[in-house]
């Protein structure tokens, strides 16, 4: 059998040098063999160009002010949080004080047992989940009503500006910040509950966002001032949770909306991580004070 020689003038595939081809990528003009061809609207493209186009397409998608993805329903997370709070409220009504005692925010207290062998509950006893679960508990209609009204008014705008993931981080860290300051400063036997810490975090974040966009800050500052007056004048309000949520929400929002575009994500992640670390250290110090 006669030996076949390569046809003169045919190029070799840029990925498979042993293969000759007469087809070139319509985007980069490199020769490509059938294994490297991806059908395009006109001709074929190489896999590398197709991957590059996909990355460029993702990068070109519209982003929120903080770099999150723009979604069709910018209030979805807010609605989920509203529904979650409502479901827990119904569960509290059904089970009475039992659920409140099991999930409410308390530092270190005796619950039942005997004087010689009390049953201890609270964050200091290892029940760290209370820092977060307490932020979804409400007993009175007026309490959940005020908090959910604040969430409904502030949530969608912040969610639209930050994006869903960042908004969730803001909300949860604000809730934890409120519980942590209560743990640090309030009587360790005091039982508290409610989403107020998270809501005050949204107040702080809204003020930061208004400053970032150069909006008139007087409405949000007036609303915040009214809520602070209520916080310190009404009895039975855990002001520590309000202030803790306000401070954490302001710090987290500032890190999200003021981060430079080129290094936005690393800075945002670092701010959230540092806030979470500060919360952890504060809780460890307080726990050591109570049971160390």
């Amino acid at each position: 059998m006669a030996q076949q020689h390569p046809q003169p003038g045919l190029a070799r595939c840029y990925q498979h040098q042993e293969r000759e081809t007469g087809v070139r990528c319509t985007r980069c003009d490199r020769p490509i063999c059938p294994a490297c061809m991806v059908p395009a609207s006109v001709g074929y493209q190489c896999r590398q160009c197709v991957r590059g186009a996909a990355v460029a397409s993702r990068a070109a998608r519209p982003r929120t002010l903080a770099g999150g993805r723009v979604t069709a329903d910018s209030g979805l997370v807010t609605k989920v949080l509203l529904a979650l709070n409502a479901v827990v409220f119904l569960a509290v009504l059904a089970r009475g004080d039992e659920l409140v005692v099991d999930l409410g925010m308390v530092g270190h207290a005796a619950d039942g047992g005997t004087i010689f062998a009390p049953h201890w509950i609270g964050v200091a006893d290892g029940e760290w989940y209370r820092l977060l679960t307490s932020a979804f508990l409400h007993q009175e209609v007026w309490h959940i009503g005020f908090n959910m009204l604040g969430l409904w008014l502030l949530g969608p705008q912040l969610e639209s500006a930050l994006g869903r993931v960042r908004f969730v981080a803001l909300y949860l860290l604000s809730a934890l910040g409120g519980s942590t300051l209560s743990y640090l400063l309030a009587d360790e036997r005091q039982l508290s509950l409610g989403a107020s810490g998270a809501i005050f975090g949204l107040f702080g974040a809204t003020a930061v966002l208004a400053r970032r966009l150069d909006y008139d800050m007087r409405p949000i500052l007036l609303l915040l001032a009214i809520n602070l007056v209520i916080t310190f004048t009404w009895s039975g309000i855990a002001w520590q949770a309000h202030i803790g949520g306000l401070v954490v929400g302001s710090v987290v929002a500032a890190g999200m909306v003021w981060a430079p575009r080129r290094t936005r994500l690393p800075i945002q992640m670092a701010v959230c991580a540092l806030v979470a670390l500060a919360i952890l250290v504060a809780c460890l110090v307080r726990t050591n004070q109570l049971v160390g």
Side-chain angles (χ1 to χ4, degrees):
M1 180 180 293
Q3 184 178 6
Q4 294 183 347
H5 297 281
Q7 298 182 28
L10 285 179
R12 294 180 180 273
C13 175
Y14 83 102
Q15 287 279 33
H16 307 94
Q17 290 295 313
E18 72 281 2
R19 301 177 185 176
E20 295 180 328
T21 179
V23 180
R24 291 180 174 272
C25 172
T26 57
R27 186 179 291 267
C28 67
D29 200 41
R30 288 181 294 191
I32 49 177
C33 67
C36 300
M37 296 178 188
V38 177
S41 56
V42 178
Y44 296 90
Q45 295 180 10
C46 65
R47 299 187 182 278
Q48 186 173 343
C49 284
V50 171
R51 286 195 297 269
V55 172
S57 176
R58 287 193 295 269
R61 291 175 182 172
R63 293 280 176 174
T64 66
L65 175 67
R69 292 184 177 180
V70 175
T71 56
D73 186 358
S74 60
L76 178 63
V77 173
T78 300
K79 296 172 186 175
V80 171
L81 290 171
L82 286 165
L84 183 57
N85 277 276
V87 168
V88 176
F89 178 65
L90 294 177
V92 169
L93 293 180
R95 296 185 58 181
D97 293 338
E98 179 184 354
L99 197 63
V100 173
V101 173
D102 289 342
L103 301 179
M105 177 57 210
V106 62
H108 191 52
D111 179 41
T114 67
I115 189 173
F116 300 104
H119 172 61
W120 292 100
I121 63 172
V123 178
D125 199 54
E127 298 174 342
W128 287 59
Y129 57 85
R130 292 177 179 271
L131 294 166
L132 188 59
T133 56
S134 60
F136 293 90
L137 286 172
H138 299 85
Q139 280 184 299
E140 287 82 16
V141 173
W142 68 265
H143 192 194
I144 189 173
F146 274 118
N147 281 338
M148 294 305 100
L149 178 62
L151 176 58
W152 179 251
L153 293 176
L154 302 175
Q157 289 78 11
L158 285 169
E159 186 178 342
S160 177
L162 301 179
R164 290 175 179 171
V165 174
R166 291 164 177 81
F167 178 69
V168 170
L170 169 71
Y171 189 90
L172 296 182
L173 285 173
S174 297
L176 289 172
S179 296
T180 299
L181 197 62
S182 291
Y183 186 39
L184 286 175
L185 302 181
D187 189 305
E188 65 270 18
R189 297 164 296 180
Q190 175 181 302
L191 180 65
S192 60
L193 63 158
S196 301
I199 302 305
F200 266 77
L202 301 188
F203 274 115
T206 301
V208 170
L209 181 62
R211 180 68 183 86
R212 172 65 175 82
L213 297 175
D214 201 24
Y215 288 169
D216 184 1
M217 296 185 63
R218 286 175 293 182
I220 183 61
L221 291 180
L222 177 60
L223 188 59
L224 179 58
I226 293 173
N227 279 271
L228 287 174
V229 169
I230 295 174
T231 295
F232 289 103
T233 56
W234 282 20
S235 61
I237 292 181
W239 63 267
Q240 299 91 342
H242 293 195
I243 300 304
L246 177 64
V247 171
V248 170
S250 300
V251 171
V252 171
M256 288 183 175
V257 303
W258 287 99
R261 181 183 296 271
R262 295 182 61 183
T263 56
R264 183 165 50 196
L265 183 58
I267 290 178
Q268 292 171 344
M269 294 177 66
V271 169
C272 291
L274 288 174
V275 169
L277 179 61
I279 289 173
L280 175 61
V281 170
C283 289
L284 289 174
V285 169
R286 180 58 171 163
T287 299
N288 185 64
Q289 291 175 348
L290 294 177
V291 299

